[in-house]
């Protein structure tokens, strides 16, 4: 037992390794199953890469514990088995440090968006690098001072310093949670945040106990074996518990497949409980539409807007119409309901306004910057100027071609049939696909059902 306690390869070590390997597999499944089962396209923003980094950090944490505490028995000592590589760098800055830094970045975003009511003043990846610097600095100091022995153990003072840094980041999470606790989140972000804090605190407590036992009583072989077994098994369990919930994506938790997250909404307005009233008229006139009417008035007609949207999608220019539709839903949220307005505003910005957005609309740089730098995401006129520019473009391009398209002819025929037989109100209708308004995905506007050759539209890319 004394030999395997220092060189590794004890039976209990392999049991702990099996638990770690199982947790790695389950973690990877949690990260990939939503994309395979729910067909969620990979988003381009921080909502994806922050989660991906957390998965990598979790794997680094588990692997570093395995290598640093001699769970595997090697005949020779190689340079890549260095304590400073695994115990200091992989487990510290690239493991638990990176994991907590990602969580602090996520709660920093929530704080600015829902408390300050504006987009964060610093990009997520820059903020993540900045708050990771203390971990890198501490790892560099340990590398220079070299306080570790041949068993990757360090003195009590160094343990206090290292665990103090762990605790500091948990305290930062608690401080941010206290700053947003009054916000009435719609998708359980605050509850998930407190759970993450609890898991982080528990993991630090377990690691402190294991390190102290290893450091103080190195002469007791069974105690060292038991402590490292407990350390790896509990870390494996805590990593999985950490990802049983995620605040990275408020609408759909990409890292969770719990039953309560199975409900899928087709649009953000449905997820926020915005009723289809007002702009979506329940009983509309069955008279033939007049092309001489202003486009703003025509778009108030539900059937016309759906037909016009399908036509625009077939021309690969549907972004403006979808933007118009979602802004109308944003305007229907009461002014006093600032939280829901912020959710909707952020959704619209990430989908239509931000540079590289999946359905980025063609607006001027000045208007785009006005929206991105707004001091109030719930403001009533947030998208007013952008909508004005896009309405002008739609009038000059899409509306001109729509009246000679087969979509308008089909709409006329549908209106005539409904006038003759009102019972067809629910028996037929436009097959309006909500894929471009999906809540949980970044959509590809090039995946359209209608060929531009048959839609009656021109190529507006050059005109826009």
């Amino acid at each position: 037992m004394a030999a395997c306690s220092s060189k590794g390869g004890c039976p209990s070590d392999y049991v702990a390794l099996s638990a770690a390997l199982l947790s790695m597999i389950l973690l990877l499944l949690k990260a990939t199953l939503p994309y395979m089962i729910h067909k969620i396209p990979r988003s381009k923003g921080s909502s994806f890469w922050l989660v991906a980094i957390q998965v990598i950090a979790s794997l680094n944490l588990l692997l570093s514990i395995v290598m640093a505490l001699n769970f595997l028995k090697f005949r020779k000592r190689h340079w890549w088995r260095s304590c400073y590589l695994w115990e200091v760098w992989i487990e510290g800055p690239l493991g638990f440090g990176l994991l907590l830094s990602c969580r602090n970045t996520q709660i920093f975003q929530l704080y600015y968006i829902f408390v300050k009511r504006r987009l964060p003043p610093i990009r997520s990846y820059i903020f993540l690098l900045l708050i990771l610097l203390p971990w890198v600095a501490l790892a560099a100091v340990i590398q220079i001072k070299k306080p570790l022995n041949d068993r990757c153990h360090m003195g009590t003072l160094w343990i206090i310093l290292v665990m103090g840094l762990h605790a500091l980041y948990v305290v930062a999470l608690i401080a941010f949670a206290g700053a947003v606790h009054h916000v009435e989140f719609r998708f359980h972000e605050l509850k998930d945040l407190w759970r993450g804090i609890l898991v982080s605190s528990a993991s630090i407590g377990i690691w402190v106990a294991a390190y102290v036992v290893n450091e103080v009583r190195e002469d007791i072989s069974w105690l060292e074996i038991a402590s490292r077994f407990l350390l790896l098994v509990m870390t494996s369990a805590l990593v999985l518990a950490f990802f049983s919930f995620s605040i990275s994506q408020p609408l759909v938790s990409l890292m969770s497949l719990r039953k309560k997250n199975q409900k899928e909404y087709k649009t953000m307005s449905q997820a926020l409980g915005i009723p289809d009233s007002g702009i979506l008229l329940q009983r509309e006139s069955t008279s033939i539409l007049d092309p001489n009417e202003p486009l703003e008035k025509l778009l108030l007609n539900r059937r016309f807007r759906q037909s016009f949207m399908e036509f625009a999608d077939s021309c690969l220019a549907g972004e403006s119409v979808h933007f118009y539709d979602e802004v109308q839903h944003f305007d229907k949220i009461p002014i006093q309901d600032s939280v829901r307005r912020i959710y909707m505003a952020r959704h619209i910005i990430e989908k239509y306004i931000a540079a590289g957005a999946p359905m980025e609309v063609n607006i001027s740089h000045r208007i785009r910057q006005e929206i991105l730098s707004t001091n109030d995401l719930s403001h009533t006129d947030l998208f007013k100027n952008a909508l004005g520019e896009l309405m002008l473009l739609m009038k000059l391009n899409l509306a001109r071609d729509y009246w000679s398209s087969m979509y308008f002819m089909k709409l006329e025929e549908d209106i005539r049939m409904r006038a003759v037989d009102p019972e067809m109100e629910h028996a037929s209708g436009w097959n309006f696909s909500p894929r471009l308004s999906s809540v949980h995905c970044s959509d590809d506007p090039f995946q359209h059902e209608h060929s531009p050759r048959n839609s009656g539209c021109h190529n507006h890319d050059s005109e826009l």
Side-chain angles (χ1 to χ4, degrees):
M1 180 178 291
C4 72
S5 66
S6 59
K7 296 182 179 179
C10 297
S12 60
D13 291 341
Y14 290 111
V15 174
L17 281 171
S18 300
L21 182 60
L22 179 61
S23 66
M24 289 183 183
I25 295 174
L26 292 177
L27 180 60
L28 292 175
L29 289 176
K30 280 177 171 287
T32 56
L33 282 180
Y35 297 96
M36 295 186 295
I37 294 179
H38 301 302
K39 307 300 181 182
I40 300 177
R42 184 181 69 83
S43 59
K44 297 181 180 179
S46 61
S47 61
F48 172 81
W49 63 259
L50 275 177
V51 176
I53 290 176
Q54 290 180 68
V55 173
I56 296 172
S58 300
L59 298 179
N60 286 341
L61 180 60
L62 291 173
L63 185 59
S64 64
I65 293 176
V66 171
M67 297 302 297
L69 299 184
N70 296 323
F71 279 86
L72 298 175
K73 185 176 182 179
F74 293 96
R75 294 183 178 180
K76 295 182 180 180
R77 189 79 179 180
H78 302 281
W79 66 266
W80 47 266
R81 292 183 58 205
S82 168
C83 291
Y84 294 94
L85 174 63
W86 295 103
E87 178 82 359
V88 176
W89 292 100
I90 305 298
E91 184 178 340
L94 300 179
F96 195 78
L98 190 57
L99 200 59
L100 283 185
S101 296
C102 286
R103 280 292 158 129
N104 275 288
T105 301
Q106 291 168 338
I107 188 60
F108 173 76
Q109 292 177 336
L110 290 180
Y111 170 76
Y112 255 91
I113 291 173
F114 289 97
V115 177
K116 294 292 187 179
R117 297 189 180 185
R118 58 181 300 179
L119 298 177
I122 183 172
R123 292 185 178 274
S124 299
Y125 65 88
I126 297 177
F127 182 80
L128 177 62
L129 292 176
L130 288 177
I131 64 175
L132 193 61
L133 286 180
W135 292 89
V136 177
L138 180 60
V141 171
I142 295 176
Q143 181 76 46
I144 295 173
K145 297 294 184 179
K146 295 191 180 300
L148 276 70
N149 60 20
D150 58 345
R151 295 190 180 184
C152 295
H153 298 162
M154 63 180 69
T156 304
L157 292 178
W158 287 101
I159 291 177
I160 294 175
L161 183 61
V162 171
M163 292 304 163
L165 185 61
H166 285 67
L168 178 63
Y169 278 63
V170 176
V171 170
L173 277 176
I174 295 174
F176 275 122
V180 301
H181 77 280
H182 64 282
V183 179
E184 297 181 0
F185 291 106
R186 301 280 299 183
F187 305 103
H188 310 293
E189 290 91 336
L190 189 61
K191 182 188 296 184
D192 288 347
L193 174 63
W194 282 114
R195 289 175 177 175
I197 292 172
L198 179 62
V199 170
S200 303
S201 303
S203 63
I204 292 176
I206 292 173
W207 290 336
V208 168
Y211 275 124
V212 169
V213 169
N214 271 282
E215 179 64 28
V216 175
R217 303 307 301 267
E218 284 186 327
D219 56 321
I220 304 179
S221 300
W222 70 266
L223 190 59
E224 183 176 358
I225 295 172
S227 64
R228 73 187 186 199
F229 171 84
L230 176 65
L231 180 63
L232 184 56
V233 170
M234 292 306 299
T235 303
S236 302
L238 289 171
V239 162
L240 287 178
F242 199 74
F243 282 104
S244 293
F245 34 80
S246 174
I247 63 171
S248 63
Q249 174 54 266
L251 290 176
V252 174
S253 181
L254 298 183
M255 302 302 297
S256 176
L257 290 177
R258 293 174 297 175
K259 290 183 178 180
K260 68 178 184 180
N261 285 336
Q262 291 295 317
K263 189 172 182 180
E264 179 180 342
Y265 298 103
K266 295 181 179 180
T267 64
M268 171 64 83
S269 58
Q270 291 178 358
L272 295 176
I274 304 174
D276 287 335
S277 59
I279 193 67
L280 298 178
L281 303 179
Q282 299 296 324
R283 303 294 298 179
E284 295 165 332
S285 173
T286 56
S287 61
I288 302 300
L289 296 173
D290 184 2
N292 296 319
E293 292 280 356
L295 183 61
E296 294 88 345
K297 182 178 179 180
L298 291 171
L299 286 172
L300 295 177
N301 185 295
R302 174 171 53 89
R303 298 193 191 98
F304 173 82
R305 186 169 62 258
Q306 291 176 353
S307 172
F308 191 67
M309 190 178 293
E310 285 195 348
F311 168 76
D313 285 341
S314 72
C315 298
L316 306 182
E319 295 85 358
S320 299
V321 189
H322 286 278
F323 175 79
Y324 170 89
D325 189 62
E326 301 218 47
V327 169
Q328 301 306 316
H329 285 92
F330 170 78
D331 291 337
K332 284 191 291 183
I333 304 175
I335 300 296
Q336 61 272 20
D337 193 351
S338 60
V339 173
R340 283 203 302 169
R341 290 181 67 85
I342 290 173
Y343 272 117
M344 194 69 190
R346 184 177 61 168
H347 166 73
I348 294 173
I349 290 173
E350 290 179 348
K351 188 172 181 179
Y352 300 97
I353 304 298
M359 295 186 68
E360 184 177 353
V361 292
N362 185 12
I363 57 177
S364 64
H365 176 74
R366 179 181 61 85
I367 298 299
R368 193 182 305 276
Q369 289 305 118
E370 284 181 359
I371 296 174
L372 295 178
S373 60
T374 180
N375 292 321
D376 187 3
L377 286 170
S378 63
H379 197 278
T380 55
D381 295 331
L382 179 61
F383 302 109
K384 180 179 178 181
N385 294 333
L387 195 58
E389 287 190 350
L390 293 174
M391 285 297 300
L392 180 60
L393 288 177
M394 286 190 288
K395 291 176 183 178
L396 295 176
N397 297 297
L398 289 173
R400 182 184 60 189
D401 293 334
Y402 172 78
W403 302 112
S404 59
S405 71
M406 58 186 301
Y407 290 88
F408 174 60
M409 291 185 284
K410 182 178 178 182
L411 177 62
E412 282 188 314
E413 180 182 358
D414 181 65
I415 292 176
R416 290 194 188 95
M417 294 178 66
R418 290 174 189 274
V420 174
D421 186 4
E423 296 297 326
M424 293 188 60
E425 180 69 27
H426 303 288
S428 63
W430 288 90
N431 183 24
F432 169 56
S433 172
R435 62 172 177 82
L436 293 174
S437 301
S438 176
V439 169
H440 62 241
C441 67
S442 299
D443 303 288
D444 182 1
F446 294 98
Q447 294 179 355
H448 53 93
E449 299 177 358
H450 302 279
S451 172
R453 296 178 181 178
N454 299 324
S455 63
C457 65
H458 298 135
N459 185 354
H460 299 288
D461 292 340
S462 59
E463 299 180 45
L464 297 178

